[in-house]
Amino acid sequence: MSDLPPGARAVVVTASNRAAAGVYPDRSGQALAEGLRALGFAVDGPHVREDDVALLEEVLREAVASGADVVLTTGGTGLSPTDVTPEATRAVIEREAPGIAEAVRRYGEPEVPTSVLSRGLAGTAGRTLIVNLPGSTGGVRDGLAVLGPLLPHVVSQLRGGDHT
């Protein structure tokens, strides 16, 4: 994408007990990384972690400290007792951007009515945008459809750019 600021970096984090244990491959994290590369990002990850608040918070803080422009997570946003990605994210973000998470839920709703059950958050930590996406390839695809047009502007703004 030509309007993405130069050197834009993204980190992908997958929250999944089963993928972390090797029960099945991390398809949603791979799809997310591929989608971000197609948008022009240099991508680190996916980093697969168990559904554990402390482990997820640690990898999110490391991603922010690395200077990533964007950190996208997949998985752990539902209503299951083990779904704790929003809790880890809430501990890291400084400012919420609820419209982004709402837009992702709304985008998926016509095809997948249960998309509204995602508790995913979006917000910033320093100059990094963090967004939680559902743990499915469809949820990742929907998330990227919403985020793709927004990310060049978001990255520019977080790097100190002015409104155009």
Side-chain angles (χ1 to χ4, degrees):
M1 182 172 254
S2 61
D3 50 355
L4 190 66
R9 289 191 329 99
V11 174
V12 173
V13 176
T14 300
S16 170
N17 287 329
R18 291 176 288 181
V23 174
Y24 55 66
D26 170 29
R27 289 190 179 93
S28 62
Q30 292 296 333
L32 190 49
E34 290 169 15
L36 285 164
R37 282 187 198 100
L39 291 172
F41 284 90
V43 179
D44 181 13
H47 300 277
V48 182
R49 296 293 185 274
E50 295 172 8
D51 291 298
D52 176 273
V53 173
L55 291 175
L56 292 169
E57 183 179 338
E58 177 183 31
V59 72
L60 292 174
R61 288 191 188 282
E62 288 171 358
V64 170
S66 79
D69 294 293
V70 176
V71 179
L72 298 185
T73 71
T74 176
T77 65
L79 299 176
S80 164
T82 60
D83 289 331
V84 296
T85 303
E87 287 72 23
T89 302
R90 187 169 281 116
V92 175
I93 61 174
E94 298 157 355
R95 298 184 303 159
E96 285 196 41
I100 295 172
E102 291 163 8
V104 171
R105 283 187 280 273
R106 260 194 330 269
Y107 187 90
E109 186 181 10
E111 293 293 318
V112 183
T114 56
S115 69
V116 300
L117 298 177
S118 172
R119 300 179 309 113
L121 299 177
T124 59
R127 293 181 178 257
T128 302
L129 174 70
I130 302 174
V131 181
N132 303 149
L133 299 178
S136 66
T137 55
V140 163
R141 183 180 59 249
D142 291 350
L144 287 170
V146 170
L147 293 170
L150 302 176
L151 291 177
H153 183 70
V154 169
V155 170
S156 176
Q157 289 291 288
L158 289 173
R159 287 182 175 186
D162 200 3
H163 293 282
T164 55

